[in-house]
Each structure stands twice: as structure tokens, then as C-alpha cells.
């Protein structure tokens, strides 16, 4: 099971929620594909909500414009 690190590339403020460049989460995936675009990005949304308390899907930041994905292992 590959481990991915999802990092914020640029800041965004929407609806009282804020993400900043450098914020990152680690996500384990069952697939070799980018977890931001696989299964609607739900594991990434859950990780950002759990760690930072922000809903990146509701903010409109669940895409590769705002997020960078790197496979760690």
C-alpha cells in the first residue's frame, strides 16, 4: 500500500477557512493512483479535516492547482 504526502502549494481563504502553503498530510492508498483525484479525493478530505479542521472540498481546493502529491513509499 503506497503512502502519499499531499501538500498545499498556494494559500486560499474561503468561507472562514484557511489553508497555507506547506500544510501537508500523509495518506495511505490502496491504489497506485494519485489520491487527490481517485475516489473523489475522500481520503485527502478526511485527512485535512482530521489534522487541520478544514474541509478542502468545500473550499474548492481539492485539485492539483492547490495541492501537490508525492509518493513517499
Amino acid at each position: 500500500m503506497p503512502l502519499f504526502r499531499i501538500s498545499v502549494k498556494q494559500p486560499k481563504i474561503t468561507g472562514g477557512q484557511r489553508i497555507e502553503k506547506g500544510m501537508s498530510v500523509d495518506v495511505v492508498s490502496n491504489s497506485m493512483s494519485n489520491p487527490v483525484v481517485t475516489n473523489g479525493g475522500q481520503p485527502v478530505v478526511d485527512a485535512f479535516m482530521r489534522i487541520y479542521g478544514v474541509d478542502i472540498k468545500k473550499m474548492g481546493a481539492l485539485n492539483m492547482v492547490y495541492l501537490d502529491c508525492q509518493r513517499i513509499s
Side-chain angles (χ1 to χ4, degrees):
M1 296 175 84
L3 177 66
F4 292 92
R5 177 160 292 143
I6 314 300
S7 303
V8 176
K9 292 195 287 190
Q10 61 185 20
K12 182 172 182 165
I13 302 171
T14 303
Q17 296 188 38
R18 177 185 201 134
I19 56 172
E20 291 287 336
K21 181 177 180 178
M23 293 170 86
S24 66
V25 295
D26 293 341
V27 175
V28 176
S29 176
N30 290 331
S31 132
M32 299 300 276
S33 301
N34 181 342
V36 174
V37 295
T38 305
N39 296 327
Q42 196 59 47
V44 177
V45 172
D46 294 342
F48 270 94
M49 182 60 79
R50 182 177 60 250
I51 295 171
Y52 297 108
V54 295
D55 187 345
I56 60 171
K57 189 170 189 175
K58 189 175 180 181
M59 292 178 68
L62 185 61
N63 56 57
M64 296 309 291
V65 172
Y66 292 100
L67 302 175
D68 180 45
C69 179
Q70 295 179 347
R71 184 171 176 211
I72 297 175
S73 63

